[in-house]
Amino acid sequence: MKKRFFLLFFLFTTMLAGAQSYGEIGLFGGGSYYLGDLNPGRQFLLTKPAAGAFIRHNFNERTAIRGSFTYGTLTGDDAISKVNTTRNLNFTSHISDISATFEFNFYEYFIGSLRHFVTPYMYGGASVFFFNPKATYNGVTYELQGLSTEGQGSSLYPDRKAYKRTGFSIPFGIGVKYSINSFIGMSLDWRMHKTFTDYIDDVSTTYYLDLQGMTPGEAEPFELASDPGLNHNSGMQRGDSKYNDWYSFVGISISLRLNYLERERCLNVFY
């Protein structure tokens, strides 16, 4: 086992030593959208602008790691998705995402190559994100997490804890890289994030108030945010807690190549 380990370690370090290693810094621009209780399955519905920046270290022509920061907006609306029009819920949340991903190129690509100047690629990793769902009813915007719209922390549902506005996700995606010239590269990619929360949209379980028959003028802000139609009672279904929410970024990236001086003379653009 020791011999095998040292042999694999030697092969790995030898491969990296001969690799065309370099770095990149870049900017991302595109869109962001969400999948959840207010939009269970329509990709790209209510896509909003998103932007970000990233750094990338290329180990060789096939593999790289990338660290990125992306900022976007997620929104959902029953009136647009038509999933549950009687529920009449909506939300908007700015989202800040910090990701680290491992990339694999299908071809032996690097910025400046004349042979493999374009390649499809795929990637996956981990991220942390920050969100804060808000909703607007009758011209007033409410921060939903503090209103406990499903009875979080109430005496009726003591087992429902207030959700956190920070979460972890598993990002993964596909894309295409293209070398514009010896120093600039671009890519088109689509990145999905599987999260571990069902509250990006502030919707998950059941109603906790008896509001059926109440008039809008009588409703308090927390009641209106919980049931804007005022047509549900405690225990009626509000969301589906079996499935967590997702969010996605899609767009174009432009990157500038950063040569490592000891590697620069090794590059062969015809390779």
Side-chain angles (χ1 to χ4, degrees), residues 24-27 54 56 111 183-186 253-257:
E24 297 175 52
I25 57 173
L27 298 175
F54 65 93
R56 177 185 284 127
I111 293 178
F183 300 100
I184 300 175
M186 67 176 295
S253 298
I254 299 292
S255 61
L256 177 66
R257 176 173 160 171

Side-chain angles (χ1 to χ4, degrees), residues 150-223:
E150 294 185 354
Q152 298 96 329
S154 69
S155 58
L156 294 175
Y157 295 97
D159 57 322
R160 295 183 184 178
K161 307 301 181 182
Y163 59 87
K164 297 180 180 180
R165 295 182 297 183
T166 301
F168 294 93
S169 77
I170 300 175
F172 59 92
I174 56 174
V176 177
K177 295 178 182 178
Y178 176 75
S179 175
I180 297 176
N181 55 38
S182 298
F183 300 100
I184 300 175
M186 67 176 295
S187 65
L188 172 66
D189 68 281
W190 179 21
R191 186 170 93 224
M192 298 291 295
H193 287 255
K194 173 180 172 56
T195 78
F196 299 92
T197 178
D198 193 32
Y199 279 108
I200 287 179
D201 51 14
D202 190 66
V203 182
S204 181
T205 56
T206 62
Y207 292 92
Y208 81 108
L209 297 170
D210 295 318
L211 301 178
Q212 205 169 55
M214 181 180 289
T215 62
E218 299 174 322
E220 297 291 334
F222 71 93
E223 296 173 325

